[in-house]
Amino acid sequence: MTDNSNKPHPGWHRTLGLGVVAGAADDDCSAIGTYASAGAQFGLTLLWMAPVTFPMMFAVVYLSSKLGQVTGKGLFQVIREHYPKWLLWPVLIGVLVGNTIEAAADIAGMAACLNIFVPIPPLLIAIAIAVIILLLQMFGSYSLIRNVFRWLALSLFAYVGSAALTRPAPAEILRGTFLPHIELTKDYLSILVAIIGTTLSAYLYTWQSNVEVEEKIAAGKTSTAERRGASDADLARSQRDIVVGMAFSNIIMYFIILSTGATLHQAGHNDIENAAQAAEALRPLAGGGAAVLFATGVIAVGFLAVPVMTTGAAYDLTQAIGWKSSLHAKPREAKAFYGLIAGFTAIATVLNGLGFNPMKALVYAGIVQGFSTPPLLLLIVLLTNDRDLMGDKTNGFWLNLLSWVAVAVIFAASIGLVGSWLL
């Protein structure tokens, strides 16, 4: 395959952070709620999940990154061009439903946490959040959005501080981290499936392929022909960036489980349904500082994750249809793309107005994504091993091994989800 990456590539100071943004978006409000629930229910016995999911997250996000760089196209555009519609549309619908419901749940989580500090009805806060996010997407440049996302990602370090304030026992930390513990109970298996599902969410890797395309457009490569191809140095830089980003994501997961496991579980607060409840419950146990740090992380990362989900859904649908989609385009130049961003944001906001239970909605979204994400991940692995598509940039042995393990685990998680219903 011809390498068309002759123009100067942006330096590390520009590219470093794309993986961190993706990793931070993976630790969205609903994921924080899942990790907090895991710590509250089972203490520190699930700390080992962070190092276990890290290599799988790296593999799937890097595959998506490589696909975007080598083809110069977003994930669903590539799928549309290589697979039949009967396969494309069921996977796409699952991703769209999952993204929208998760965005709604994240807006609800942000509103609940803001309501701790601001005595305004949560619905009004949710509407204000949606408007602010939509204005940023509609009228902010891609460079502005990217830089805002990078700074918001740093807010997740609040969970490191929150965990430090809980003063966990070192011996329990070591045991929970290095001695995997599994219970064959419905609750334990359900939380395992939930952690795997939220760490390997579809929006994580669909976003990564699209942002790689946006980076090439930012470098002046406006046509698909100009964007096609990636050098070994380009891919090596992406590998380093994604390793950092996924490590960052898993470290945050680790410290959320640690902070809630060392406090809420020990105090018998085992029934935590969302991140706002976790923040409130931490206040009397670990002090107001820990509670404020926990809630602040939820709010800040929500402003990153919600636009990743709504914009990601707009990317996926426009690419499946064949419409123009790019954050570099002005709203008047890509009306359908920006209209879909507004539409998905509006649906997510309306769901909050209907008084739905965000945690129950996440269960339904998880079910939909649980059956659409495995085939999507399988398609990514097959595409990145297609020599006609990828040229000499197909996957090597170790990357393939990690990728197939991730595929097997996500399929097993879906089967486990069904199994948990039958227990």
Side-chain angles (χ1 to χ4, degrees):
M1 176 173 288
T2 303
D3 185 353
N4 293 308
S5 54
N6 296 323
K7 294 185 180 181
H9 193 282
W12 69 268
H13 63 281
R14 182 172 183 177
T15 57
L16 185 62
L18 295 181
V20 169
V21 168
D26 194 48
D27 289 332
D28 67 310
C29 309
S30 59
I32 292 168
T34 298
Y35 305 148
S37 178
Q41 283 185 268
F42 299 103
L44 307 187
T45 62
L46 281 163
L47 288 176
W48 60 273
M49 284 295 292
V52 166
T53 56
F54 165 63
M56 292 186 289
M57 286 179 69
F58 162 75
V60 299
V61 176
Y62 176 63
L63 289 188
S64 184
S65 169
K66 184 167 73 166
L67 187 67
Q69 289 185 77
V70 173
T71 65
K73 303 171 185 176
L75 173 59
F76 272 92
Q77 182 178 351
V78 177
I79 294 174
R80 175 173 61 85
E81 293 173 354
H82 289 80
Y83 291 100
K85 290 182 179 180
W86 64 262
L87 182 59
L88 166 69
W89 283 98
V91 173
L92 175 66
I93 290 169
V95 171
L96 297 181
V97 170
N99 277 24
T100 307
I101 293 179
E102 195 147 354
D106 281 359
I107 291 172
M110 294 165 68
C113 283
L114 276 167
N115 191 235
I116 294 173
F117 309 112
V118 182
I120 297 174
L123 179 57
L124 294 180
I125 298 175
I127 293 171
I129 288 168
V131 170
I132 292 169
I133 289 172
L134 190 57
L135 289 174
L136 174 65
Q137 293 167 283
M138 290 291 186
F139 302 108
S141 66
Y142 171 71
S143 297
L144 172 65
I145 293 170
R146 177 186 58 197
N147 291 332
V148 167
F149 282 4
R150 283 173 173 167
W151 284 107
L152 287 172
L154 297 179
S155 67
L156 284 171
F157 279 114
Y159 293 107
V160 179
S162 177
L165 290 172
T166 63
R167 299 192 180 101
E172 289 188 34
I173 295 174
L174 291 173
R175 189 162 50 248
T177 304
F178 297 108
L179 295 177
H181 170 80
I182 297 177
E183 298 175 12
L184 298 179
T185 64
K186 178 180 179 180
D187 288 343
Y188 198 90
L189 293 176
S190 294
I191 205 71
L192 280 182
V193 170
I195 290 173
I196 292 169
T198 197
T199 53
L200 296 175
S201 295
Y203 71 82
L204 180 66
Y205 30 95
T206 60
W207 170 264
Q208 189 67 32
S209 68
N210 290 312
V211 80
E212 296 292 357
V213 174
E214 295 285 9
E215 284 293 309
K216 289 201 172 192
I217 295 173
K221 300 176 181 180
T222 55
S223 70
T224 302
E226 290 177 311
R227 293 193 298 270
R228 189 176 295 117
S231 68
D232 291 337
D234 291 334
L235 297 178
R237 275 190 288 268
S238 293
Q239 280 189 350
R240 290 192 295 270
D241 183 35
I242 292 168
V243 164
V244 171
M246 297 307 106
F248 173 72
S249 178
N250 279 265
I251 287 169
I252 300 307
M253 180 218 295
Y254 183 91
F255 280 105
I256 293 171
I257 295 175
L258 180 59
S259 62
T260 55
T263 52
L264 304 185
H265 180 74
Q266 295 290 343
H269 292 282
N270 305 129
D271 190 18
I272 297 296
E273 293 188 352
N274 55 56
Q277 281 186 10
E280 285 279 35
L282 278 172
R283 191 186 302 274
L285 299 172
V292 169
L293 285 173
F294 200 95
T296 300
V298 173
I299 296 163
V301 79
F303 278 105
L304 184 160
V306 171
V308 166
M309 293 170 191
T310 54
T311 305
Y315 274 127
D316 298 342
L317 183 53
T318 51
Q319 288 170 13
I321 296 173
W323 294 341
K324 183 176 182 178
S325 59
S326 173
L327 287 172
H328 279 89
K330 300 296 182 185
R332 64 178 180 276
E333 299 168 341
K335 294 178 181 178
F337 175 61
Y338 282 96
L340 286 170
I341 292 175
F344 287 122
T345 304
I347 293 170
T349 308
V350 168
L351 287 174
N352 279 275
L354 296 177
F356 78 110
N357 183 317
M359 296 310 293
K360 287 185 178 179
L362 279 173
V363 171
Y364 298 134
I367 292 170
V368 174
Q369 291 218 62
F371 293 105
S372 62
T373 299
L376 178 61
L377 182 52
L378 177 61
L379 292 180
I380 293 172
V381 176
L382 294 175
L383 286 167
T384 50
N385 278 296
D386 185 340
R387 193 164 293 278
D388 291 337
L389 179 66
M390 302 295 290
D392 61 352
K393 298 300 187 292
T394 51
N395 305 329
F397 173 79
W398 290 109
L399 184 57
N400 264 327
L401 178 62
L402 275 178
S403 304
W404 284 113
V405 167
V407 170
V409 167
I410 198 69
F411 269 101
S414 297
I415 295 170
L417 179 64
V418 176
S420 70
W421 300 339
L422 304 176
L423 285 177

